[in-house]
Amino acid sequence: MSYMDLPARHKELLNLIGQKKRIPVAELSQSLSVSEVTIRKDLNQLAQQGYLRREHGYAVLLESDDTAKHLSFNHERKTAIARRAAISVCDGETVMIESGGCCSLLAEELVKTHKHITIITNSAFIAAYIRRQNGARIILLGGEYQHDSQVMVGPILQRCVAGLAVDKLFIGTDGCNETGFMTNDEDRAAATQAMADHAKNIIILTESEKFLRTGRIPLIAYDRLAMVYTDDQLTGDTRTEMEERGVPLILARTR
């Protein structure tokens, strides 16, 4: 079952689990004001559908590169970020969009609300996700296919982008450190950096919790960014740190 077809309580469960990664059943029961028996039944259903893992007394977020699963966590915040970022795009524009939950929702928002938009992407998931939207013009970059994340990477992709030039590239991230945003996948980092070399403005879309994480591989330095879109749950301390590093921020309203 897709995220959009889930019952409202299941969506709220996934949002709570996504925030903490591992959460007691008793805490979920208290947060949603339903019995632990009901929560356990809900969690068993979600586990069968591949959204989470059960441990004794706990629900645990499954670590996965599957974009469809990523969309199920913090969906409301991702949507708010995508809608805010879409304002920066004009009708008739051609943009590049990398993979991830926020980026997928941005692509959907653009083809729903803008006219004559062309989206260049290395994400087969995004191409499939928006394929039924009226007016969606998609250019899917070639390359080696990553099965879990459904993105194209490698030397072929780098050759595909060699002749391109766009004003905006939108990318996601797994975390950040003192010099820039990070990822956990070397091939995806190389693909993103190749795309960034052919974009005038590089723009990050990410939930505020990613600022509290790091990653294994550098993705993009702060001084190369035109803008970062995140949600309004970003802490004051983190916002101050980013501003001191010269990182331009726009916070999407979620409350």
Side-chain angles (χ1 to χ4, degrees):
M1 182 182 294
S2 72
Y3 175 85
M4 297 307 297
D5 295 326
L6 292 175
R9 188 171 67 240
H10 287 192
K11 292 179 182 178
E12 184 60 25
L13 275 171
L14 291 174
N15 281 335
L16 291 169
I17 298 164
Q19 291 168 23
K20 294 193 174 181
K21 311 309 174 191
R22 184 175 185 268
I23 187 168
V25 170
E27 184 175 337
L28 291 170
S29 173
Q30 184 177 12
S31 297
L32 297 181
S33 301
V34 296
S35 71
E36 291 189 22
V37 172
T38 298
I39 290 294
R40 289 191 186 97
K41 289 180 180 178
D42 290 342
L43 294 177
N44 286 338
Q45 291 177 29
L46 290 168
Q48 290 172 3
Q49 293 164 6
Y51 285 101
L52 54 87
R53 184 178 76 250
R54 291 296 313 280
E55 290 182 359
H56 183 66
Y58 287 85
V60 182
L61 174 67
L62 283 177
E63 294 297 333
S64 171
D65 285 333
D66 188 332
T67 303
K69 295 293 190 298
H70 284 204
L71 278 174
S72 66
F73 299 102
N74 298 323
H75 187 270
E76 289 77 12
R77 280 197 273 164
K78 287 182 171 76
T79 299
I81 293 165
R83 287 175 176 169
R84 186 63 184 83
I87 296 172
S88 70
V89 179
C90 300
D91 288 346
E93 191 168 352
T94 297
V95 298
M96 274 200 288
I97 303 180
E98 213 261 334
S99 65
C102 289
C103 288
S104 299
L105 292 169
L106 170 66
E108 181 182 41
E109 182 71 12
L110 289 177
V111 297
K112 281 182 175 179
T113 61
H114 290 58
K115 297 177 181 178
H116 311 301
I117 290 291
T118 299
I119 293 172
I120 302 171
T121 184
N122 67 328
S123 170
F125 176 88
I126 288 178
Y129 188 65
I130 65 173
R131 71 187 186 280
R132 291 193 176 94
Q133 296 293 335
N134 291 331
R137 184 167 187 263
I138 308 159
I139 298 174
L140 182 60
L141 298 170
E144 180 182 347
Y145 181 67
Q146 286 190 337
H147 293 275
D148 285 344
S149 60
Q150 300 177 59
V151 300
M152 309 300 182
V153 298
I156 295 174
L157 178 135
Q158 295 175 27
R159 290 196 290 273
C160 284
V161 300
L164 300 176
V166 297
D167 185 65
K168 299 179 183 74
L169 164 66
F170 296 92
I171 63 177
T173 181
D174 292 321
C176 61
N177 65 6
E178 63 277 3
T179 60
F181 284 96
M182 309 284 286
T183 184
N184 292 315
D185 188 303
E186 185 174 359
D187 290 332
R188 287 181 66 184
T192 300
Q193 289 158 5
M195 294 166 74
D197 287 341
H198 299 276
K200 183 177 179 181
N201 295 289
I202 304 165
I203 301 164
I204 291 277
L205 275 62
T206 188
E207 308 102 290
S208 57
E209 65 186 47
K210 298 287 184 67
F211 289 86
L212 303 178
R213 303 180 193 172
T214 184
R216 296 187 298 105
I217 300 153
L219 181 65
I220 202 79
Y222 292 132
D223 60 8
R224 293 191 65 190
L225 295 173
M227 187 57 65
V228 175
Y229 289 91
T230 188
D231 59 74
D232 58 6
Q233 296 184 43
L234 188 71
T235 66
D237 289 345
T238 302
R239 185 172 183 176
T240 298
E241 287 179 15
M242 291 294 113
E243 289 173 348
E244 288 175 349
R245 291 168 178 160
V247 180
L249 290 171
I250 291 180
L251 275 58
R253 197 172 187 179
T254 61
R255 297 178 284 192

